């Protein structure tokens, strides 16, 4: 096409590439058709047909498709009306029809093309019939439609040749461009393979796969394994990974120079096959400036759908902390302190830097206090806040020279399988979720767990007495352990409310349950996910909570609503872990698509996409000041992110197995990570955050230059006794608690 | 890569599909079956893929049937029932034909119903906390010691623990036996292991009571033999306790009537048992043990009973340990021992008796060394180290069953008890080069004389070692040559013995032309063909004589062992002196120097010629019953030879 059309179209296309949203379903499909037609080099005709298409690429093509459908169904009247309204020339449709058949005339492929075209049309017909005039609005990614985009034509024999040609070209370019251009290999490889499979060239597909799989980066190994098991067109129908490849464009960041180089090469060679794939399935995010180095690229790539677009991380994030409510702190300390050890009601709070002094002035990066409505503080909450402040004054300042002590909570005899653990903020309770659907809550202080008395008994007590809160408790029920029954599948996520009155648990049965820790009964079952719910987390201010699961969305709930308030959708695979920002205005989710997203609770939009992990993410932790995020994944690495700039700022290597827990110390100096390799590792977070270079270029382009200083940042490795570490928690005085189940 | 990738997936063959279809009463065509098979494979992989997600979220490493069933359920497929067991399912082949199936044993319900050993319910799930790291430093509770939280034991276990310890340490021998037997076979005492280990570490406090020590050692043995116990790092603690019994000058040994020798023998036997069965649990254990034994052996201040312990300990660890530690130390040690044995004063009687014990132990150890070494030379292929047997007999290389896996010597010793010598700093390993057998034999012969030779002659198949190593062969030649000096003809009859039989030493007359097995003269460059084919005594003699003057000129070597008996002016003996001295100066100078100085002030030279002494002592150590009995049982237990 380039040969025919020359310069001006280039500009259009480039604009197209950059502005086009990640459209899915029919929209992109029709675009595709238009392209396929105009790009077919064999026919001389396309010049005329392609001009209008290039001028208004989206609508025009959609309209053409609709027209074609109408015509096929002999709705000539509608055809005329639509044509008149859209101002299309009479011959455009015929031309397109001729075009596609011309494209299909390459031998025996014609039949396949026709049938796929048919399938596309029939598949989309339901949408069209329901709303024939609003055909452009059909955006459900129907599987057939999605897949039919692969009905590309081309000689299967030539695929390896094309690929090899590109490979040779990229190997021959200057070093500085080679790394960038090499990014193209993986998506190209995947899409070429899928095209072959879709068009039933099974043996060619296999040969192609075997020949070039070795060239792919090792961190795509998991996806390649899935791909390799797929060798039939029928398989593609139900394969989720595959849908991801198709419905989302693979995003590449390439410098303008490199991109021009690539484009010129493809145009010179008339390599339309590859060019088409790049056009249809890839989103190339072009930036001006120096090409990136291999290490820079490797740091950011690895996710299911390439890197994040730069625009995706441009939105402003109010990462600052909310102003603390002003509570006068009683100055009578010492003697009261001793009693409080026992665990008078204390309350969780958003973690603060230094509590008292700083809270007066508003942080410029903080969201407005009322940006999202937060619950009023109750008296007991205020009391707890005071407790928290008192404890905070006795907090140990941690640092490289002053490492925390570690207490390990071992779950013994957990034959049923421990799957999740959580501590209350004041470290008085510990809860475990088990694979046998139970939730167990233990008191780790001498204070036993008691239920509230029954209604009849409650009538008898003196409601005016001072110790009414004590009197309502049933002493007979005091025990160290309470078991909560209710779920019908393994409990995968568990979270205490900050006021310690509630406990959330999410399970394989598709529900999230809210339990009362006063009565030890289930209060609500939140249904909505309908698939296993992998994780849930209470907001640090209570009331809200977030859950994420196998249905690839995260949901925001309020405890008093049985339906979700927000649905955060965008991940391309399961949402594996969820976490609230300390200011409750944002939610971070990690997913098996190997990305982390940050969502705005206010409007449900995705404000950050972090790529760089090479495996499903299983642990997230916000730094106490709200500025940074740490994430741990099955690739046994911890990555650090600057939320404000949307940048990766650190990589901590050292673990040898999946990381399941991450936690910052109360003042954020130390990051603790716990892993399946039975170790807890402590990292110097202060140093990691101070050392980062945030010059303008880095901030503007998002090109991080990470130095490999994991070893300097690693402060200690602590072995457990063959116990995987599945939760970590810093007490208010900075003692590190770790938990896991002993598995001999 | 591609191959492996292919095989990573389960494949269902089209025959299987056909078979299954047949069993459902459907006849399938080939192409249909092939298509189905491929689809089945794909669906299997898909299900496996999604089931792994359930495994990951359950924070497990092992994919269970349950995970798989969950994946099936969520993809709207019927679950597979009946395989939910936690244990691995045995997958066995049928004898005839290539058929594999999952073993499904019949369960006798009657037996099950009437069973007397009713399984207990699972223990309650609970949370226990312990401070693992204080201020990020160290483990508060070093591994191998007893946890302080005794109360975390269940009532039953506590009772059991008390009963057992009382029975073992109590008076009733019958009760003790029962207790030990139970300790040996009880499968539920894993939680008590640290406590027992702690009890055993109490050996230090009962060193006056042989009986108690013995009981504690028996306890160790029972624990070690219990197949259900995973000793883990407690091995270190146990070894340390056992080593205490072997090496320490126990309070009980002050009284000569106490038979602490037997205790040491038993402990040594136990040590080897622990080592061979559990040595892999602690890295670097072998070398730590060797180091501590070596340290004791080289410490002249230690009493003889400690030395005895070191020797039997080395012996128990196998002939390689003897070769590696005892043999190089022998020259230095011998002087010391000699002095003791030659002191006929009354006050020395007890010490001298002890000395005889040590002598006997060394003799046994050394004889076995020679035998095994000869054997290993005759079967070099077994060692898997082919080629040069002479150089391959290092403690680490040959005979996989005998030597522990190679370990870094500088292995950090965490929480090591006092009786395990930490590797590295204190006592550096010497440059150790294997000594060829004949040289070794000659050297040993110089110490033990005929008491050794007699032993040796009974050794099996010594003469049949292949004449590969030139130096070693040359040495063999240098033995006083007799008619049977050709190794090929002396297959049955050990060659050395034959030589010795006709050697002038046999009749006790002073030797005028002693065998000169000098290492200096037998350079490694000596060609194999020449030495093996010629076997002419004249060559040997001329060589030895030519080498002698050169050696004599090495003056300082004489001062090294001025008190050693073989420096006596008798003819022939200087050769040995040179031999040792030469080696001293040449290769192992640095390593040996401390020992030389340590032995400098030993009593004056005895005028008794070595052979005469050796003749006087042939019985010692052979009568020492415990030693022999132990040694024999040791062979039979642990040696593949």
């Amino acid at each position: 096409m380039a040969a025919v059309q020359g310069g001006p179209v280039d500009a259009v296309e480039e604009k197209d590439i950059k502005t086009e949203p990640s459209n899915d379903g029919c929209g992109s499909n029709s675009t595709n058709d238009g392209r396929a037609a105009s790009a077919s080099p064999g026919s001389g005709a396309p010049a005329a047909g392609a001009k209008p298409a290039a001028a208004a690429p989206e609508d025009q093509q959609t309209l053409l498709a609709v027209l074609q459908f109408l015509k096929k169904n002999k709705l000539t009247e509608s055809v005329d009306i639509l044509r008149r309204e859209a101002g299309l020339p009479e011959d455009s449709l015929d031309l397109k029809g001729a075009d596609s058949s011309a494209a299909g005339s390459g031998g025996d492929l014609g039949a396949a093309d026709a049938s796929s075209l048919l399938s596309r049309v029939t598949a989309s017909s339901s949408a069209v019939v329901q709303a024939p005039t609003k055909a452009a609005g059909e955006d459900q990614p129907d599987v057939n439609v999605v897949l039919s985009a692969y009905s590309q034509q081309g000689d299967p024999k030539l695929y390896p040749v094309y690929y090899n040609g590109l490979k040779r070209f990229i190997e021959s370019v200057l070093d500085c461009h080679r790394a960038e251009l090499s990014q193209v290999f993986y998506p190209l490889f995947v899409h070429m393979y899928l095209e072959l499979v879709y068009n039933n060239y099974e043996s060619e597909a296999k040969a192609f796969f075997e020949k070039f799989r070795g060239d792919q980066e090792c961190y795509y190994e998991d996806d390649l394994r899935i791909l390799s098991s797929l060798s039939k067109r029928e398989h593609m129908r139900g394969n989720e990974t595959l849908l991801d490849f198709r419905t989302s464009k693979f995003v590449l960041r390439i410098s303008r120079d490199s991109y021009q180089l690539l484009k010129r090469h493809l145009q010179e060679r008339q390599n339309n096959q590859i060019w088409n794939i790049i056009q249809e399935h890839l989103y190339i995010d072009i930036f001006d400036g120096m090409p990136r180095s291999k290490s820079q690229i490797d740091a950011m790539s690895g996710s299911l759908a390439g890197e994040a677009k730069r625009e995706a991380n441009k939105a402003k994030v109010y990462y600052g902390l909310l102003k603390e409510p002003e509570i006068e702190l009683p100055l009578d300390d010492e003697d009261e302190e001793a009693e409080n050890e026992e665990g008078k009601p204390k309350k969780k709070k958003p973690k603060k830097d230094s509590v008292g002094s700083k809270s007066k002035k508003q942080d410029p990066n903080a969201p407005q206090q009322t940006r999202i409505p937060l619950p009023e503080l109750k008296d007991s909450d205020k009391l707890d806040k005071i407790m928290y402040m008192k404890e905070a004054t006795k907090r140990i300042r941690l640092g490289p020279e002053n490492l925390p002590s570690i207490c390990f909570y071992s779950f013994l005899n957990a034959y049923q399988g421990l799957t999740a653990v959580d501590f209350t903020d004041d470290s008085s309770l510990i809860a475990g979720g088990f694979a046998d659907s139970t939730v167990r809550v233990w008191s780790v202080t001498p204070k036993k767990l008691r239920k509230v008395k029954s209604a009849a008994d409650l009538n008898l007590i003196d409601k005016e007495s001072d110790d009414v809160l004590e009197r309502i408790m049933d002493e007979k029920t005091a025990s160290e352990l309470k078991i909560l029954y209710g779920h019908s599948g393994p409990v995968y996520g568990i979270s205490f409310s900050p006021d310690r009155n509630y406990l959330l648990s999410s399970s394989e049965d598709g529900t999230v349950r809210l339990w009362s820790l006063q009565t030890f009964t289930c209060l609500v079952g939140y249904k909505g996910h309908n698939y296993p719910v992998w994780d849930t987390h209470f907001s640090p201010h209570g009331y809200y909570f977030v859950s994420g699961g196998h249905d690839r969305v995260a949901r925001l709930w309020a405890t008093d609503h049985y339906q979700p308030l927000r649905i955060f959708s965008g991940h391309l695979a399961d949402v594996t872990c969820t976490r609230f920002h300390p200011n409750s205005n944002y939610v971070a989710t990690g997913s098996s698509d190997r990305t982390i997203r940050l969502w705005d609770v206010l409007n449900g939009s995705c404000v950050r996409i972090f790529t760089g992990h090479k495996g499903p993410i299983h642990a997230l932790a916000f730094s106490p000041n709200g500025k940074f995020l740490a994430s741990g994944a099955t690739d046994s690495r911890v990555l650090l992110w600057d939320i404000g700039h949307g940048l990766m700022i650190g990589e901590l290597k050292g673990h040898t197995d999946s990381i399941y827990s991450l936690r910052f110390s109360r003042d954020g100096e130390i990051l603790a990570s716990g892993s399946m390799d039975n170790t807890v590792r402590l990292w110097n977070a202060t140093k990691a955050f101070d050392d980062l270079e945030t010059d303008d270029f880095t901030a503007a382009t998002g090109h991080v230059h990470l130095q490999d200083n994991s070893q300097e940042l690693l402060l200690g490795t602590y072995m457990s006794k063959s116990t995987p570490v599945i939760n970590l928690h810093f007490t208010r005085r900075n003692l590190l608690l770790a938990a896991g189940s002993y598995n001999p | 890569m591609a191959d492996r990738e292919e095989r990573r997936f389960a494949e269902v063959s089209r025959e299987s599909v056909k078979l299954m279809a047949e069993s459902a009463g459907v006849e399938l065509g080939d192409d249909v079956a092939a298509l189905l098979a491929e689809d089945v494979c794909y669906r299997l992989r898909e299900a496996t893929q999604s089931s792994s997600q359930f495994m990951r979220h359950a924070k497990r490493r092992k994919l269970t049937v349950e995970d798989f069933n969950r994946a099936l359920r969520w993809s709207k497929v019927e679950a597979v029932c009946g395989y939910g067991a936690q244990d691995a399912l045995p997958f066995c082949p049928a004898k005839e034909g290539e058929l594999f199936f999952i073993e499904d044993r019949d369960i006798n319900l009657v037996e099950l119903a009437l069973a007397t050993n009713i399984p207990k319910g699972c223990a309650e799930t609970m949370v226990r906390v312990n401070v693992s790291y204080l201020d990020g430093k160290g483990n508060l509770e070093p591994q191998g010691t007893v946890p302080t939280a005794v109360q975390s034991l269940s009532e039953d276990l506590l009772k059991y623990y008390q009963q057992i310890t009382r029975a073992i340490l109590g008076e009733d021998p019958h009760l003790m036996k029962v207790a030990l037997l139970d300790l040996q076979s009880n499968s539920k005492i894993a939680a008590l292991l640290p406590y027992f280990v702690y009890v055993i570490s109490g050996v230090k406090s009962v060193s006056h009571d042989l009986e108690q020590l013995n009981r504690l050692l028996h306890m160790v043995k029972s624990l070690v033999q219990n197949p259900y116990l995973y000793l883990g790092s407690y091995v270190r603690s146990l070894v340390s306790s056992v080593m205490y019994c072997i090496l320490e000058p126990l309070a009980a040994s002050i009284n000569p009537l106490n038979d602490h020798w037997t205790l040491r023998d038993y402990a040594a036997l136990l040590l080897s048992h622990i080592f061979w069965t559990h040595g892999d649990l602690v890295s670097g254990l072998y070398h730590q043990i060797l180091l501590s034994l070596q340290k004791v052996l080289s410490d002249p201040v230690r009493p003889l009973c400690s030395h005895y312990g070191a020797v039997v300990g080395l012996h128990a660890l196998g002939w390689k340990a003897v070769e590696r530690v005892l043999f190089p130390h022998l020259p230095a040690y011998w002087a010391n021992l000699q002095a003791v044995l030659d002191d006929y004063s009354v006050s020395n009687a007890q010490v001298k008796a002890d000395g005889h014990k040590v002598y006997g132990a060394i003799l046994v150890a050394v004889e076995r060394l020679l035998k095994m070494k000869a054997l290993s030379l005759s079967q070099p292929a077994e060692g898997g180290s082919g080629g040069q047997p002479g150089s391959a007999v290092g403690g680490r290389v040959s005979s996989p069953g005998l030597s522990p896996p190679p370990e870094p010597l500088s292995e950090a010793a965490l929480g090591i008890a006092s009786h395990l010598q930490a590797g590295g700093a204190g006592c550096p390993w010497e440059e150790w080069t294997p000594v060829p057998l004949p040289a070794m034999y000659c050297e040993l012969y110089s110490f033990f004389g005929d008491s050794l030779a007699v032993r040796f002659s009974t050794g099996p198949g010594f003469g049949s070692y292949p004449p590969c190593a030139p130096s070693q062969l040359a040495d063999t030649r240098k033995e006083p040559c007799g008619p049977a000096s050709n190794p090929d003809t002396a297959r049955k009859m050990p060659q050395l013995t034959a030589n010795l039989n006709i050697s002038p030493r046999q009749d006790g007359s002073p030797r005028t032309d002693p065998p000169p097995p000098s290492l200096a003269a037998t350079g490694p460059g000596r060609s194999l063909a020449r030495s093996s084919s010629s076997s002419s005594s004249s060559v040997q003699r001329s060589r030895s004589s030519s080498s002698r003057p050169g050696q004599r000129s090495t003056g300082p070597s004489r001062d090294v062992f001025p008190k050693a008996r073989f420096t006596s002016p008798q003819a022939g003996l200087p050769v040995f002196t040179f031999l040792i001295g030469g080696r001293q100066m040449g290769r192992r100078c640095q390593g040996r120097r401390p020992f030389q100085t340590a032995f400098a002030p030993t009593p004056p030279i005895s005028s008794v010629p070595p052979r005469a002494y050796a003749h006087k002592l042939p019985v010692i150590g052979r009568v020492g019953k415990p030693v022999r009995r132990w040694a024999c049982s040791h062979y039979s237990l642990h040696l593949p030879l």
Side-chain angles (χ1 to χ4, degrees), chain B residues 309-321:
Chain B
V311 173
V312 293
L314 284 170
H315 184 44
L317 286 178
W319 63 274
K320 298 238 162 86

Side-chain angles (χ1 to χ4, degrees), chain B residues 5-13 16 37-38 41 44-45:
Chain B
E5 207 57 44
E6 244 358 91
R7 262 183 269 119
R8 193 181 287 176
F9 303 117
E11 296 276 355
V12 179
S13 71
S16 305
E38 203 167 339
C41 293
L44 264 179
R45 290 170 202 172

Side-chain angles (χ1 to χ4, degrees), chain A residues 202 210 213 225-226 228-232 235 238-239 403-413 415-416 418-419 442 481 490 492 508 530-532 534 550 574 576 592 616 618 634 657 660 676-677 718-719 721 726, chain B residues 1-3 5-6 8-9 35 38-39 42-43 45-46 49-50 53-61 66-67 70 73-74 76 86 122-139 141 143:
Chain A
E202 196 180 328
E210 287 310 324
R213 82 167 294 171
R225 198 173 308 133
I226 296 174
S228 71
S229 69
L230 180 140
S231 57
K232 288 231 182 306
H235 296 158
N239 194 304
L403 295 177
S405 302
I406 306 175
C407 281
F408 206 100
Y409 284 83
S410 309
F411 286 72
L412 305 175
N413 306 320
Y415 307 109
Q416 60 279 71
L418 178 71
T419 45
W442 283 269
L481 159 71
Y492 289 123
E508 189 247 8
N530 291 330
Y531 283 98
W534 298 129
H550 183 59
D574 301 28
T576 48
S592 355
H618 277 274
T634 56
D657 209 331
Y660 277 114
M676 283 288 276
D677 65 7
Y718 301 98
M719 305 282 293
K721 295 178 180 168
I726 65 173
Chain B
M1 176 72 189
D3 285 1
E5 207 57 44
E6 244 358 91
R8 193 181 287 176
F9 303 117
L35 273 176
E38 203 167 339
D39 196 59
Y42 174 74
R43 301 293 162 200
R45 290 170 202 172
E46 207 179 24
Q49 197 76 38
S50 50
Q53 199 162 28
F54 289 95
M55 174 192 74
R56 269 208 306 276
H57 281 281
K59 284 147 185 138
R60 264 184 281 115
R61 280 199 196 86
E66 212 173 321
D67 292 330
R70 271 181 220 295
R73 211 172 305 142
W74 282 111
K76 309 271 189 294
Q86 298 275 326
C122 295
E124 198 192 340
T125 309
M126 52 186 169
V127 184
R128 285 286 167 263
V129 64
N130 59 324
V131 178
S132 303
Y133 296 93
L134 199 58
D135 295 334
K137 285 191 251 343
N139 211 334
E141 195 181 279
Q143 304 240 329

Side-chain angles (χ1 to χ4, degrees), chain B residues 222-532:
Chain B
S222 294
L223 287 180
V224 168
Q225 287 181 340
N226 190 325
Y228 304 101
L229 279 184
Y230 173 74
L231 293 181
S233 55
Y234 291 114
V235 165
R236 210 178 271 281
S237 177
L238 289 180
V239 163
S240 158
S241 300
V242 173
M243 293 277 275
Y244 180 89
C245 293
I246 299 178
L247 291 179
E248 278 310 293
L250 305 168
S253 53
I254 293 169
N255 183 353
L257 295 178
N258 277 337
D259 188 11
H260 58 100
W261 309 104
T262 320
L263 181 81
R264 289 178 204 277
D265 292 341
Y266 181 69
L269 179 55
L270 199 53
L271 178 70
S272 81
H273 185 61
I274 295 175
F275 176 70
W276 291 118
T277 51
H278 294 79
D280 50 332
L281 294 181
V282 181
S283 57
L285 187 65
Y286 181 69
H287 293 289
Q288 283 168 21
I289 294 175
L290 282 196
L291 272 177
S292 33
L293 291 175
Q294 177 187 341
K295 196 176 159 221
V296 168
L297 200 62
S298 60
D299 185 357
V301 184
R302 292 238 182 197
L304 284 167
C305 52
S306 289
H307 291 159
Y308 175 84
V311 173
V312 293
L314 284 170
H315 184 44
L317 286 178
W319 63 274
K320 298 238 162 86
V322 175
E323 183 185 28
R324 181 112 192 231
V325 179
L326 179 62
F327 179 69
H329 273 84
L330 211 48
Y333 186 73
W334 194 261
N336 219 9
L337 184 61
Q338 185 71 33
V340 170
L341 294 177
D342 290 346
D343 185 353
Y344 288 102
S345 63
V346 179
S347 61
N348 192 45
Q350 183 55 46
V351 180
K352 192 171 169 223
D354 290 357
H356 284 257
K357 275 280 191 193
V358 179
Y359 177 90
I362 295 178
L363 187 59
V364 170
V366 153
E367 277 166 354
R368 175 144 155 273
L369 166 64
L370 284 175
K371 264 187 215 170
M372 300 311 287
K373 187 148 175 151
L375 256 181
S376 79
L377 287 176
S378 67
Q379 299 161 334
E382 263 179 40
S385 54
Q388 288 267 336
S391 63
V393 286
R396 300 155 158 247
V397 197
S398 67
S399 297
L402 268 176
S403 53
E407 291 158 338
L409 287 178
S410 55
E411 184 78 39
L414 271 174
I416 181 170
S418 61
H419 281 273
L420 282 183
Q421 187 67 43
C427 213
W429 277 98
E430 304 166 23
E431 275 294 303
W432 185 74
T433 38
V435 180
L437 177 62
M440 181 184 281
Y441 179 75
C442 288
E443 190 172 342
L444 289 174
Y445 188 85
S446 74
F447 297 136
F448 293 98
D450 280 348
S451 56
L452 183 66
V454 172
R455 284 278 167 147
F456 196 73
S457 65
T458 60
F462 173 67
S464 61
Y465 67 88
C468 294
S471 64
Q472 147 207 340
L473 248 185
D475 284 342
T476 320
R477 294 283 174 279
K478 268 172 267 164
E479 283 299 319
C481 42
S485 61
N486 188 347
D488 298 331
T489 58
R491 275 209 168 272
K492 286 280 162 2
M493 191 65 180
Q495 176 203 4
L496 287 181
T497 314
N499 288 341
L500 289 170
N501 282 342
I502 56 144
S503 82
R505 277 175 284 167
Q506 192 66 8
D507 44 39
S509 67
R511 199 200 293 178
T512 48
D513 192 4
S518 104
L519 280 177
T522 61
R526 192 158 301 282
S527 83
L528 181 123
R530 186 174 146 206
S531 54
S532 65

Side-chain angles (χ1 to χ4, degrees), chain A residues 546-613:
Chain A
V546 62
S547 65
H550 183 59
D551 57 0
R552 303 170 173 210
V553 296
R555 283 160 209 252
L556 178 84
W557 312 74
T559 46
D560 56 358
H561 286 61
Y562 67 89
Q563 283 186 322
L565 305 180
R566 299 279 181 278
I567 292 183
F568 305 118
S569 107
H571 276 300
L572 299 174
D574 301 28
V575 176
T576 48
C577 57
T578 54
R579 204 133 280 266
F580 254 100
H581 190 274
N583 68 18
S584 288
N585 278 263
Y586 296 93
V587 164
T589 56
S591 161
S592 355
D593 67 6
R594 309 189 283 274
T595 63
I596 299 150
R597 283 172 186 248
L598 193 71
W599 309 87
D600 192 335
V601 166
L602 184 67
N603 50 26
S605 61
C606 175
V607 290
R608 289 287 179 271
I609 303 176
F610 296 132
T611 62
H613 271 298

Side-chain angles (χ1 to χ4, degrees), chain A residues 5-21:
Chain A
Q5 289 175 335
V9 182
D10 280 357
V12 174
E13 272 170 3
E14 231 174 84
K15 185 178 132 256
D16 187 356
I17 287 164
K18 278 189 288 182
T19 55
E20 187 178 38

